[in-house]
Amino acid sequence: MKEISKKIKTILAIETSCDDTSIALVECSGSLKNSGADLKFEILENIVSSQIAIHRPFGGVVPNLAKREHIKNLPKVFRQIFKSNVKGQMSKVDYIAITIGPGLEPALWTGINFAEELSKKIKLPLIGINHMEGHLYSNWLPIRISDKRQVTSNKHIEFHAIALIVSGGHTILLNMKSINKWEKLGETLDDAAGEAFDKVAKMLKLPYPGGPEISKLALKGNPKAINFPRPMLNTPNPAKAKARGAGYEFSFSGLKTSVLYYLRDNPKIEKADVAASFQEAAIDVLNKKTARAAKQYEAKSILLCGGVSANKLLRERLQNTAKELKINFYVPDFKYSVDNAAMIAAAAYINLLQKNKEHLKIEAQGNLSI
Ligand code: KG4
Ligand code: ZN
């Protein structure tokens, strides 16, 4: 087995788990020593080709249309990255990383087939990456601190850390003991946070994807107008629960249904008030559970990531929570909150360091279920 020797590894990453076709080229360096304090990710390219316009008329992602679009977009995005000098540029690449799940099967397989073909053609090792691990490690990607400056090395994240991963398909709370060791405290028992945003947006006749639309409309509404339920906010009480970590599950399906009934019974209600009150309830639960976990595990940092982390109110709330607890708060740049291939490259590099081997088969990586 060959050791990773060269200081900088260039990873070409491909992400097609849902409705974004993304390819990134990332220079990765550093180690896992000292909680990954010297990790550095230089994003040479990160192109995301969105399919929103294709799926919008259907009110959600249509898997086979997503597959068709990925097939069309992958070679286009690849050419955009390598321009005319494919051979020259590809010679700098050390690994190809590909998202292998979770996600929409037809969409995932399009990317996997493309990556496999490429890896055979140019004889480069292929690394299969868990999409949720990609989101988790998006917190190690560069952050922009002004229009001109971006920080490429990480901010030396201190552990224990509580990580809240909120996307369209998942809501997961992790207790991270180090950069590559964690225990799952809880996840959603039904709808994911992003899914609830998307479904409530549909009820309000807002276009897909609903999350950004709800947060925009909520700006014009009163978050206290309707007291929607905060599902499982306090149940079960972790102090009394036998299982360590119990009490950190989420449930958003009941909240979604109460919005449905409220709209049925109050057809003349201001939509903005519904959006603001729903958002308030959903974010209240996410924030308070994360705060409770941070206290219980005496965390030094809170990490937020996944598509819903693009929500400004959620960012603000968790930032305030961290301030109150006198701990650090991390959230990726907006462009790395939503699906992108740069985060897949970061996860691939961290997986490589962890396994200390150059070639990984396409199989589930890490501790998160696929
Ligand atoms: O991580 P992501 O891009 O894709 C998945 O892995 O699912 O997350 C997409 C989800 C969608 O449900 C979308 O509505 C939600 O993230 N989202 C938001 C916001 N921006 C995106 N939810 C709330 N507020 C936002 N600003
Ligand atoms: Zn995602």
Side-chain angles (χ1 to χ4, degrees):
M1 205 180 293
K2 231 163 104 189
E3 290 287 317
I4 303 172
S5 51
K6 202 175 91 180
K7 279 230 158 73
I8 295 176
K9 292 285 165 193
T10 304
I11 298 185
L12 173 76
I14 301 168
E15 155 64 44
T16 64
S17 66
C18 193
D19 60 341
D20 290 303
T21 315
S22 180
I23 305 185
L25 201 55
V26 182
E27 280 184 354
C28 316
S29 61
S31 68
L32 295 182
K33 271 184 273 165
N34 210 357
S35 317
D38 65 340
L39 279 175
K40 196 170 167 186
F41 297 104
E42 191 89 46
I43 318 281
L44 305 181
E45 297 280 358
N46 180 48
I47 298 181
V48 181
S49 169
S50 165
Q51 303 175 6
I52 286 181
I54 304 287
H55 300 286
R56 190 160 261 183
F58 302 93
V61 181
V62 183
N64 276 329
L65 284 184
K67 173 182 169 178
R68 186 192 75 186
E69 291 304 300
H70 285 312
I71 290 174
K72 211 163 70 186
N73 291 339
L74 276 167
K76 271 195 209 163
V77 177
F78 185 79
R79 274 196 302 274
Q80 250 175 292
I81 287 190
F82 290 105
K83 303 184 181 84
S84 51
N85 184 16
V86 178
K87 239 184 174 167
Q89 292 273 62
M90 276 310 279
S91 65
K92 294 181 197 152
V93 177
D94 297 293
Y95 297 93
I96 298 171
I98 175 71
T99 305
I100 54 170
L104 299 172
E105 281 241 348
L108 285 166
W109 276 111
T110 315
I112 294 170
N113 290 337
F114 184 87
E116 270 189 326
E117 223 172 276
L118 193 64
S119 108
K120 269 191 216 141
K121 214 186 220 162
I122 51 182
K123 299 189 177 56
L124 280 182
L126 191 59
I127 309 170
I129 290 300
N130 179 309
H131 181 78
M132 304 317 290
E133 270 193 42
H135 277 304
L136 182 63
Y137 291 126
S138 64
N139 261 308
W140 275 260
L141 292 177
I143 47 160
R144 189 197 298 271
I145 48 176
S146 74
D147 278 350
K148 293 208 176 102
R149 279 191 66 203
Q150 68 170 19
V151 175
T152 46
S153 57
N154 93 50
K155 320 108 211 180
H156 192 177
I157 294 173
E158 285 183 82
F159 296 93
H160 283 202
I162 297 295
L164 176 66
I165 315 176
V166 268
S167 71
H170 295 78
T171 306
I172 302 169
L173 199 61
L174 296 181
N175 175 25
M176 298 183 78
K177 293 161 193 171
S178 73
I179 185 168
N180 58 346
K181 286 195 181 64
W182 56 72
E183 63 176 328
K184 201 191 276 182
L185 297 178
E187 60 191 318
T188 184
L189 302 178
D190 40 58
D191 290 353
E195 195 179 350
F197 270 87
D198 293 339
K199 285 178 177 168
V200 168
K202 231 175 180 178
M203 293 174 203
L204 295 173
K205 310 225 166 11
L206 297 171
Y208 169 84
E213 298 292 330
I214 293 257
S215 55
K216 222 188 301 163
L217 184 60
L219 291 174
K220 298 183 206 148
N222 173 9
K224 293 194 177 128
I226 310 150
N227 188 21
F228 284 126
R230 269 71 169 156
M232 301 188 74
L233 184 58
N234 298 308
T235 50
N237 182 339
K240 290 183 188 155
K242 278 190 195 126
R244 197 173 132 87
Y248 293 113
E249 294 82 16
F250 299 90
S251 162
F252 290 102
S253 158
L255 170 58
K256 171 197 71 188
T257 312
S258 35
V259 176
L260 183 73
Y261 291 156
Y262 193 89
L263 285 170
R264 184 196 62 188
D265 299 340
N266 303 274
K268 293 207 172 105
I269 183 77
E270 262 316 312
K271 276 186 181 182
D273 284 346
V274 178
S277 302
F278 157 76
Q279 178 176 253
E280 184 65 30
I283 288 179
D284 201 26
V285 175
L286 293 170
N287 177 38
K288 288 192 174 141
K289 288 221 171 199
T290 308
R292 202 168 70 209
K295 272 187 230 158
Q296 183 180 346
Y297 293 95
E298 295 172 8
K300 295 191 176 116
S301 312
I302 290 176
L303 272 58
L304 172 65
C305 56
V308 184
S309 73
N311 186 290
K312 285 192 181 145
L313 188 68
L314 177 59
R315 287 172 173 238
E316 265 171 42
R317 286 287 161 84
L318 282 171
Q319 169 105 61
N320 287 340
T321 292
K323 215 172 176 182
E324 276 165 27
L325 297 174
K326 297 192 175 57
I327 61 175
N328 298 307
F329 173 65
Y330 298 97
V331 65
D333 231 60
F334 283 104
K335 61 176 178 288
Y336 305 129
S337 274
V338 288
D339 288 349
N340 67 88
M343 68 184 195
I344 301 304
Y349 184 66
I350 291 167
N351 267 291
L352 273 171
L353 293 175
Q354 186 180 346
K355 313 271 170 175
N356 202 21
K357 64 183 182 190
E358 291 213 20
H359 182 68
L360 297 173
K361 284 193 303 232
I362 290 190
E363 61 187 6
Q365 299 300 323
N367 306 341
L368 296 175
S369 57
I370 295 253

